[in-house]
Amino acid sequence: TNDDGYDSKGLAAAVEVANLGNFFQYLGATLFVAILQVTINPLLAQNLSPTDYAIIGYYSSFTILLTPFITFFITNFFIKKYFQVDEKEREIIKSTCMKSLIYFSLFLSIISLIALYVYHQWFNSRSGIAFLPYALLTIFAIPITGIYNLKLSEYRLQRKASKFAILTIAVGLITVLSVLGLVVFVKGGATGRLWATFLSNCLAFLYVFYAERRIIFHGTFDKDVAKELIRFCWPLTLAGMVGFFSNGYDKVFLERLGNIEELGYYSVGVQIAAYLGIFSNAVNSTFQPDIYECYSKRNFKRLFTFVSIIVGSISCAVIVYLILSPYIIDILTAGRYLDSVRYSQIFAFSFVTASIYYSSSQISIAMGYSKMLLTVKILGGIVSILLFKVLIGEYGFVGAAYGSVFTYVVFFILNTVFLFSFKHKELMK
């Protein structure tokens, strides 16, 4: 007990328990929604054709490219500034971010739609996948998620885990019910699936818009904050868009082969393997602070141990998935998409190579070379385009799956080369 009569150990223990409780609410809400999505997968597989899956997979790949552009990492700016300013300035920053996510993101969505239309008309006019209504539903579902994600981030920053969980689960339930209604009962196919996402995003947007109506209508839009936002966000946006060439470009390239049905089987395999991402993201985020701490203390042996744990645990999960994937896909697709197994198994290896690259990139950031990563991503993106062209040209859909694995190897090699090069130049000074 200290001089003021407080039990500091008891207080610390109480804080620890509270943080643990918050963690389980954050994780539990996210896992609950993921489990719901997995549970309805057999029903979707019974009501969606390979062509439907091809359409959904094809346009979903464009969301990987366009989401960083449209949302512009504005939420990341809000998170970065949150604890750096007082409450009054925080409200100005929140107001500026909210207004930017509504108006600026809408403007960028229109530009994105025009660019995608030009691509389809001038460069892919023989496409077997129609432009409307799929492009509209896909692109305009993106900007309306902006203020919703910012609100979730604010709940986390304020340690309001219960509100975070309630909002996440509510939107998740609305999405699942919308999907069941429009795909299973109405038999809307790919159109119904995309409408379900759009409508659930609209409801989430309207709720947050109403809850934050005061700050949206009467809050300050600060030009200096907006300028700082743009300076901070544009490198992140560019780097995020380059990620399309390691995860998304494969489907765009494959669509041009004209075999839409096989693209559907490929998309199903990739989608189911992507559930490994839930485990992978949890492992990466858990040990991210340890990587930074180990490097700052120059404890390289411990650093190597943590990297080994990250790569090793994800590798073990992938091995288990490789063994069980035929049964998993059989169950989750009601036995309709067993031809997706080989694509899913190959794609699963990308989580191993991605974990290796992720660990090396975190070390680069810890060393202060964050801008170097943008160069790595741009060069890696260029090499990935060439890699996919060769592998798909030679091996078709199987080559695309292997390309998703090898692109992260390319990123890792480039990051390692640049890392040693930068470090060598510093030592030579």
Side-chain angles (χ1 to χ4, degrees):
T1 306
N2 62 21
D3 294 337
D4 296 323
Y6 290 105
D7 184 349
S8 57
K9 289 184 179 180
L11 182 61
V15 171
E16 217 170 284
V17 170
N19 287 338
L20 188 62
N22 288 344
F23 170 77
F24 280 117
Q25 288 189 73
Y26 296 136
L27 182 63
T30 304
L31 285 178
F32 178 78
V33 173
I35 291 168
L36 277 180
Q37 293 171 346
V38 172
T39 303
I40 67 169
N41 211 87
L43 292 172
L44 297 184
Q46 290 176 330
N47 291 276
L48 292 173
S49 68
T51 299
D52 289 326
Y53 274 114
I55 292 169
I56 295 166
Y58 174 69
Y59 278 103
S60 294
S61 66
F62 283 109
T63 64
I64 298 170
L65 174 67
L66 297 175
T67 297
F69 178 67
I70 292 171
T71 60
F72 210 67
F73 284 90
I74 291 171
T75 298
N76 294 64
F77 175 77
F78 175 73
I79 293 170
K80 172 183 177 292
K81 298 291 291 184
Y82 189 84
F83 292 113
Q84 297 177 357
V85 297
D86 58 29
E87 189 173 343
K88 184 179 180 181
E89 190 173 352
R90 188 181 297 160
E91 183 161 322
I92 294 172
I93 291 170
K94 178 181 175 181
S95 173
T96 303
C97 288
M98 282 276 185
K99 291 173 185 288
S100 298
L101 283 167
I102 295 171
Y103 303 112
F104 186 49
S105 291
L106 178 61
F107 172 70
L108 294 179
S109 298
I110 294 170
I111 291 176
S112 299
L113 184 66
I114 293 170
L116 191 55
Y117 178 77
V118 169
Y119 167 75
H120 267 262
Q121 289 296 109
W122 292 3
F123 302 101
N124 199 24
S125 57
R126 296 182 181 179
S127 174
I129 297 177
F131 182 75
L132 294 174
Y134 311 117
L136 276 172
L137 292 172
T138 300
I139 289 177
F140 285 104
I142 298 172
I144 53 179
T145 62
I147 60 172
Y148 165 70
N149 288 324
L150 188 141
K151 188 63 180 175
L152 288 180
S153 297
E154 185 180 39
Y155 280 151
R156 296 191 73 143
L157 292 166
Q158 294 173 340
R159 305 292 190 268
K160 294 180 178 179
S162 298
K163 290 187 175 182
F164 174 94
I166 291 169
L167 182 56
T168 300
I169 292 172
V171 173
L173 284 170
I174 290 169
T175 303
V176 167
L177 292 174
S178 300
V179 170
L180 289 175
L182 293 173
V183 176
V184 178
F185 295 105
V186 178
K187 308 293 183 185
T191 306
R193 181 67 183 85
L194 294 174
W195 262 113
T197 302
F198 179 78
L199 290 175
S200 58
N201 287 356
C202 275
L203 290 174
F205 172 86
L206 290 173
Y207 168 77
V208 178
F209 189 93
Y210 179 79
E212 299 290 346
R213 62 192 182 281
R214 181 190 63 80
I215 200 166
I216 291 171
F217 287 118
H218 305 293
T220 303
F221 182 85
D222 191 288
K223 292 182 179 179
D224 292 330
V225 172
K227 289 176 183 177
E228 186 182 356
L229 183 153
I230 292 171
R231 284 195 301 269
F232 174 80
C233 293
W234 78 260
L236 296 177
T237 299
L238 187 56
M241 293 177 71
V242 172
F244 163 76
F245 296 103
S246 61
N247 184 22
Y249 181 69
D250 54 337
K251 298 185 190 70
V252 174
F253 203 117
L254 289 169
E255 186 273 339
R256 300 181 74 123
L257 298 180
N259 191 342
I260 302 301
E261 184 170 329
E262 193 64 23
L263 177 58
Y265 286 108
Y266 178 88
S267 298
V268 170
V270 169
Q271 174 193 319
I272 293 175
Y275 287 124
L276 284 167
I278 298 172
F279 176 77
S280 176
N281 290 336
V283 172
N284 287 328
S285 60
T286 297
F287 293 103
Q288 183 187 44
D290 297 291
I291 290 177
Y292 293 150
E293 182 183 3
C294 289
Y295 181 79
S296 66
K297 295 180 178 179
R298 300 299 189 268
N299 191 339
F300 297 112
K301 184 178 179 180
R302 189 171 171 81
L303 176 63
F304 179 77
T305 300
F306 281 121
V307 171
S308 299
I309 291 171
I310 292 171
V311 177
S313 57
I314 292 173
S315 298
C316 289
V318 169
I319 291 170
V320 172
Y321 179 78
L322 292 176
I323 297 169
L324 299 178
S325 56
Y327 310 103
I328 292 171
I329 292 176
D330 185 26
I331 294 169
L332 294 184
T333 67
R336 291 191 64 200
Y337 288 90
L338 291 177
D339 288 345
S340 301
V341 171
R342 58 175 177 166
Y343 301 131
S344 193
Q345 289 178 328
I346 298 169
F347 188 81
F349 280 107
S350 69
F351 289 96
V352 178
T353 55
S355 69
I356 296 170
Y357 164 66
Y358 174 83
S359 298
S360 71
S361 68
Q362 294 306 301
I363 292 171
S364 296
I365 294 172
M367 294 174 69
Y369 298 141
S370 55
K371 290 183 179 179
M372 181 198 79
L373 287 177
L374 179 57
T375 305
V376 168
K377 285 201 168 188
I378 292 172
L379 290 176
I382 295 170
V383 175
S384 296
I385 293 172
L386 299 174
L387 185 64
F388 274 118
K389 186 173 183 179
V390 172
L391 289 173
I392 292 174
E394 289 292 325
Y395 306 106
F397 288 85
V398 172
Y402 277 115
S404 298
V405 177
F406 293 138
T407 51
Y408 289 108
V409 177
V410 170
F411 282 116
F412 169 71
I413 292 172
L414 287 171
N415 185 70
T416 304
V417 170
F418 273 83
L419 193 60
F420 279 104
S421 176
F422 273 54
K423 196 63 182 175
H424 178 71
K425 286 180 180 178
E426 283 189 2
L427 293 173
M428 293 296 289
K429 288 181 179 179

